Short mmCIF file of all heavy atoms in Angstrom, two decimals:
data_model
loop_
_atom_site.label_atom_id
_atom_site.label_comp_id
_atom_site.label_asym_id
_atom_site.label_seq_id
_atom_site.Cartn_x
_atom_site.Cartn_y
_atom_site.Cartn_z
N PRO U 22 -99.53 69.76 66.27
CA PRO U 22 -100.16 68.66 67.02
C PRO U 22 -99.17 67.65 67.52
O PRO U 22 -99.33 67.11 68.68
CB PRO U 22 -101.12 68.04 65.96
CG PRO U 22 -101.39 69.09 64.97
CD PRO U 22 -100.12 69.87 64.88
N VAL U 23 -98.14 67.34 66.76
CA VAL U 23 -97.12 66.41 67.26
C VAL U 23 -96.36 67.04 68.40
O VAL U 23 -96.01 66.36 69.37
CB VAL U 23 -96.16 66.09 66.10
CG1 VAL U 23 -94.93 65.30 66.57
CG2 VAL U 23 -96.88 65.33 64.98
N GLN U 24 -96.05 68.31 68.26
CA GLN U 24 -95.25 69.05 69.34
C GLN U 24 -96.06 68.95 70.63
O GLN U 24 -95.50 68.67 71.72
CB GLN U 24 -94.99 70.43 68.93
CG GLN U 24 -94.02 70.57 67.79
CD GLN U 24 -93.94 71.95 67.22
OE1 GLN U 24 -94.76 72.82 67.54
NE2 GLN U 24 -92.97 72.15 66.36
N ASP U 25 -97.39 69.17 70.52
CA ASP U 25 -98.24 69.18 71.76
C ASP U 25 -98.26 67.76 72.37
O ASP U 25 -98.15 67.67 73.64
CB ASP U 25 -99.67 69.56 71.42
CG ASP U 25 -99.76 71.04 71.09
OD1 ASP U 25 -98.86 71.82 71.37
OD2 ASP U 25 -100.80 71.44 70.43
N GLN U 26 -98.32 66.70 71.56
CA GLN U 26 -98.33 65.37 72.13
C GLN U 26 -97.01 65.03 72.72
O GLN U 26 -96.97 64.36 73.80
CB GLN U 26 -98.70 64.37 70.98
CG GLN U 26 -100.12 64.45 70.48
CD GLN U 26 -100.35 63.62 69.23
OE1 GLN U 26 -100.55 62.39 69.36
NE2 GLN U 26 -100.24 64.24 68.03
N PHE U 27 -95.94 65.44 72.07
CA PHE U 27 -94.62 65.12 72.60
C PHE U 27 -94.29 65.92 73.89
O PHE U 27 -93.60 65.42 74.77
CB PHE U 27 -93.54 65.34 71.56
CG PHE U 27 -92.26 64.74 71.97
CD1 PHE U 27 -92.13 63.31 72.12
CD2 PHE U 27 -91.13 65.49 72.30
CE1 PHE U 27 -90.97 62.76 72.56
CE2 PHE U 27 -89.95 64.91 72.73
CZ PHE U 27 -89.86 63.52 72.87
N ARG U 28 -94.95 67.10 74.05
CA ARG U 28 -94.74 67.84 75.29
C ARG U 28 -95.21 67.04 76.46
O ARG U 28 -94.60 66.95 77.56
CB ARG U 28 -95.47 69.17 75.23
CG ARG U 28 -94.72 70.25 74.48
CD ARG U 28 -95.51 71.57 74.56
NE ARG U 28 -94.90 72.53 73.67
CZ ARG U 28 -95.46 72.84 72.45
NH1 ARG U 28 -96.54 72.24 72.08
NH2 ARG U 28 -94.82 73.69 71.67
N ASP U 29 -96.35 66.32 76.29
CA ASP U 29 -96.92 65.51 77.32
C ASP U 29 -95.94 64.38 77.68
O ASP U 29 -95.80 64.05 78.87
CB ASP U 29 -98.28 64.97 76.93
CG ASP U 29 -99.33 66.05 76.73
OD1 ASP U 29 -99.15 67.19 77.32
OD2 ASP U 29 -100.36 65.80 76.06
N VAL U 30 -95.39 63.77 76.68
CA VAL U 30 -94.43 62.65 76.88
C VAL U 30 -93.25 63.14 77.67
O VAL U 30 -92.82 62.53 78.66
CB VAL U 30 -94.00 62.02 75.53
CG1 VAL U 30 -92.80 61.12 75.70
CG2 VAL U 30 -95.15 61.30 74.87
N LEU U 31 -92.69 64.28 77.23
CA LEU U 31 -91.55 64.85 77.93
C LEU U 31 -91.83 65.23 79.35
O LEU U 31 -91.05 65.05 80.28
CB LEU U 31 -90.98 66.08 77.21
CG LEU U 31 -90.13 65.77 75.97
CD1 LEU U 31 -89.69 67.07 75.32
CD2 LEU U 31 -88.93 64.94 76.32
N ALA U 32 -93.03 65.72 79.62
CA ALA U 32 -93.44 66.16 80.99
C ALA U 32 -93.40 64.91 81.90
O ALA U 32 -92.92 64.99 83.07
CB ALA U 32 -94.81 66.77 80.97
N ILE U 33 -93.91 63.79 81.46
CA ILE U 33 -93.93 62.57 82.25
C ILE U 33 -92.45 62.12 82.54
O ILE U 33 -92.12 61.83 83.71
CB ILE U 33 -94.70 61.43 81.52
CG1 ILE U 33 -96.15 61.79 81.50
CG2 ILE U 33 -94.47 60.08 82.19
CD1 ILE U 33 -96.98 60.93 80.50
N LEU U 34 -91.64 62.06 81.49
CA LEU U 34 -90.31 61.55 81.67
C LEU U 34 -89.38 62.52 82.48
O LEU U 34 -88.60 62.09 83.26
CB LEU U 34 -89.70 61.22 80.31
CG LEU U 34 -90.39 60.19 79.50
CD1 LEU U 34 -89.82 60.06 78.09
CD2 LEU U 34 -90.33 58.82 80.21
N GLU U 35 -89.62 63.84 82.27
CA GLU U 35 -88.85 64.82 83.02
C GLU U 35 -89.22 64.75 84.49
O GLU U 35 -88.32 64.83 85.37
CB GLU U 35 -89.07 66.22 82.51
CG GLU U 35 -88.44 66.51 81.19
CD GLU U 35 -88.84 67.88 80.63
OE1 GLU U 35 -89.85 68.45 81.04
OE2 GLU U 35 -88.12 68.33 79.71
N ALA U 36 -90.51 64.61 84.83
CA ALA U 36 -90.94 64.51 86.22
C ALA U 36 -90.37 63.30 86.92
O ALA U 36 -89.87 63.36 88.04
CB ALA U 36 -92.46 64.54 86.32
N GLU U 37 -90.42 62.18 86.20
CA GLU U 37 -89.84 60.96 86.69
C GLU U 37 -88.31 61.03 86.96
O GLU U 37 -87.84 60.66 87.99
CB GLU U 37 -90.12 59.85 85.70
CG GLU U 37 -90.12 58.52 86.26
CD GLU U 37 -90.69 57.51 85.25
OE1 GLU U 37 -89.91 57.18 84.35
OE2 GLU U 37 -91.87 57.10 85.35
N ARG U 38 -87.62 61.65 86.00
CA ARG U 38 -86.18 61.84 86.12
C ARG U 38 -85.88 62.77 87.30
O ARG U 38 -84.90 62.51 88.01
CB ARG U 38 -85.66 62.45 84.78
CG ARG U 38 -84.15 62.53 84.77
CD ARG U 38 -83.54 61.19 84.52
NE ARG U 38 -82.16 61.39 84.30
CZ ARG U 38 -81.22 60.46 84.58
NH1 ARG U 38 -81.60 59.29 85.00
NH2 ARG U 38 -79.97 60.69 84.33
N GLY U 39 -86.65 63.81 87.45
CA GLY U 39 -86.46 64.73 88.58
C GLY U 39 -86.63 64.06 89.93
O GLY U 39 -85.88 64.32 90.88
N ARG U 40 -87.64 63.19 90.06
CA ARG U 40 -87.84 62.48 91.30
C ARG U 40 -86.68 61.57 91.58
O ARG U 40 -86.16 61.46 92.69
CB ARG U 40 -89.12 61.60 91.20
CG ARG U 40 -90.37 62.45 91.37
CD ARG U 40 -91.61 61.62 91.64
NE ARG U 40 -91.89 60.68 90.51
CZ ARG U 40 -92.66 60.89 89.47
NH1 ARG U 40 -93.22 62.08 89.35
NH2 ARG U 40 -92.89 60.00 88.56
N GLU U 41 -86.15 60.87 90.52
CA GLU U 41 -84.98 60.01 90.76
C GLU U 41 -83.75 60.80 91.11
O GLU U 41 -83.05 60.36 92.08
CB GLU U 41 -84.70 59.20 89.46
CG GLU U 41 -85.68 58.12 89.19
CD GLU U 41 -85.41 57.38 87.90
OE1 GLU U 41 -84.79 57.93 87.00
OE2 GLU U 41 -85.88 56.21 87.74
N GLN U 42 -83.51 61.95 90.52
CA GLN U 42 -82.40 62.77 90.83
C GLN U 42 -82.54 63.39 92.21
O GLN U 42 -81.49 63.72 92.86
CB GLN U 42 -82.17 63.81 89.77
CG GLN U 42 -81.65 63.23 88.46
CD GLN U 42 -81.56 64.29 87.35
OE1 GLN U 42 -82.24 65.33 87.35
NE2 GLN U 42 -80.76 63.99 86.38
N GLY U 43 -83.72 63.51 92.63
CA GLY U 43 -83.99 64.03 94.00
C GLY U 43 -83.94 62.99 95.09
O GLY U 43 -84.17 63.31 96.23
N GLY U 44 -83.55 61.78 94.73
CA GLY U 44 -83.39 60.72 95.73
C GLY U 44 -84.63 59.88 95.94
O GLY U 44 -84.60 58.97 96.78
N ARG U 45 -85.68 60.17 95.26
CA ARG U 45 -86.91 59.36 95.48
C ARG U 45 -86.84 58.11 94.61
O ARG U 45 -86.22 58.04 93.56
CB ARG U 45 -88.13 60.13 95.02
CG ARG U 45 -88.43 61.29 95.91
CD ARG U 45 -89.70 61.89 95.44
NE ARG U 45 -90.16 62.91 96.32
CZ ARG U 45 -91.19 63.73 96.09
NH1 ARG U 45 -91.80 63.61 94.92
NH2 ARG U 45 -91.60 64.62 96.91
N THR U 46 -87.48 57.06 95.11
CA THR U 46 -87.55 55.82 94.33
C THR U 46 -88.80 55.82 93.45
O THR U 46 -89.88 56.15 93.92
CB THR U 46 -87.66 54.64 95.32
OG1 THR U 46 -86.54 54.61 96.19
CG2 THR U 46 -87.76 53.28 94.54
N VAL U 47 -88.59 55.53 92.20
CA VAL U 47 -89.67 55.44 91.25
C VAL U 47 -89.87 53.93 90.98
O VAL U 47 -89.03 53.28 90.39
CB VAL U 47 -89.36 56.17 89.93
CG1 VAL U 47 -90.48 55.96 88.92
CG2 VAL U 47 -89.08 57.58 90.19
N ARG U 48 -90.94 53.41 91.52
CA ARG U 48 -91.16 51.99 91.50
C ARG U 48 -91.46 51.45 90.04
O ARG U 48 -90.92 50.41 89.66
CB ARG U 48 -92.27 51.54 92.44
CG ARG U 48 -91.90 51.71 93.89
CD ARG U 48 -92.87 51.08 94.79
NE ARG U 48 -92.44 51.35 96.16
CZ ARG U 48 -93.20 51.91 97.06
NH1 ARG U 48 -94.41 52.28 96.75
NH2 ARG U 48 -92.78 52.16 98.26
N ARG U 49 -92.32 52.12 89.39
CA ARG U 49 -92.66 51.71 88.04
C ARG U 49 -92.45 52.84 87.09
O ARG U 49 -93.30 53.71 86.84
CB ARG U 49 -94.11 51.29 87.96
CG ARG U 49 -94.39 49.97 88.67
CD ARG U 49 -95.80 49.50 88.45
NE ARG U 49 -96.02 49.29 87.00
CZ ARG U 49 -97.09 48.71 86.49
NH1 ARG U 49 -98.03 48.26 87.31
NH2 ARG U 49 -97.21 48.56 85.17
N ARG U 50 -91.24 52.85 86.48
CA ARG U 50 -90.92 53.96 85.53
C ARG U 50 -91.78 53.83 84.28
O ARG U 50 -92.17 52.74 83.91
CB ARG U 50 -89.45 53.84 85.10
CG ARG U 50 -88.46 54.25 86.23
CD ARG U 50 -87.07 54.11 85.73
NE ARG U 50 -86.71 52.74 85.52
CZ ARG U 50 -85.71 52.30 84.88
NH1 ARG U 50 -84.81 53.09 84.38
NH2 ARG U 50 -85.46 51.00 84.74
N ALA U 51 -92.09 54.95 83.72
CA ALA U 51 -92.82 54.97 82.48
C ALA U 51 -91.99 54.39 81.33
O ALA U 51 -90.77 54.55 81.35
CB ALA U 51 -93.23 56.46 82.16
N TRP U 52 -92.58 53.73 80.47
CA TRP U 52 -91.96 53.27 79.26
C TRP U 52 -91.65 54.46 78.40
O TRP U 52 -92.46 55.41 78.34
CB TRP U 52 -92.84 52.30 78.50
CG TRP U 52 -92.97 51.02 79.20
CD1 TRP U 52 -93.98 50.65 80.11
CD2 TRP U 52 -92.14 49.81 79.12
NE1 TRP U 52 -93.85 49.41 80.62
CE2 TRP U 52 -92.69 48.85 80.03
CE3 TRP U 52 -91.00 49.53 78.44
CZ2 TRP U 52 -92.13 47.61 80.15
CZ3 TRP U 52 -90.40 48.30 78.56
CH2 TRP U 52 -90.99 47.36 79.44
N LYS U 53 -90.56 54.46 77.71
CA LYS U 53 -90.23 55.59 76.82
C LYS U 53 -90.36 55.26 75.36
O LYS U 53 -90.04 56.04 74.51
CB LYS U 53 -88.80 56.16 77.09
CG LYS U 53 -87.72 55.17 77.06
CD LYS U 53 -86.35 55.85 77.45
CE LYS U 53 -85.26 54.86 77.45
NZ LYS U 53 -85.07 54.28 78.74
N ASN U 54 -90.94 54.10 75.10
CA ASN U 54 -91.18 53.68 73.68
C ASN U 54 -92.45 54.44 73.18
O ASN U 54 -93.39 54.77 73.93
CB ASN U 54 -91.50 52.18 73.64
CG ASN U 54 -90.38 51.41 74.33
OD1 ASN U 54 -89.23 51.63 74.10
ND2 ASN U 54 -90.74 50.60 75.26
#
Side-chain angles (χ1 to χ4, degrees):
V23 172
Q24 293 168 349
D25 291 342
Q26 293 171 81
F27 193 64
R28 281 185 190 100
D29 295 340
V30 168
L31 281 180
I33 292 167
L34 297 173
E35 286 173 344
E37 203 169 78
R38 185 76 173 154
R40 285 194 300 271
E41 288 178 336
Q42 289 175 336
R45 290 184 174 172
T46 301
V47 177
R48 291 193 183 122
R49 289 187 61 169
R50 288 180 294 168
W52 291 91
K53 55 184 175 272
N54 309 309

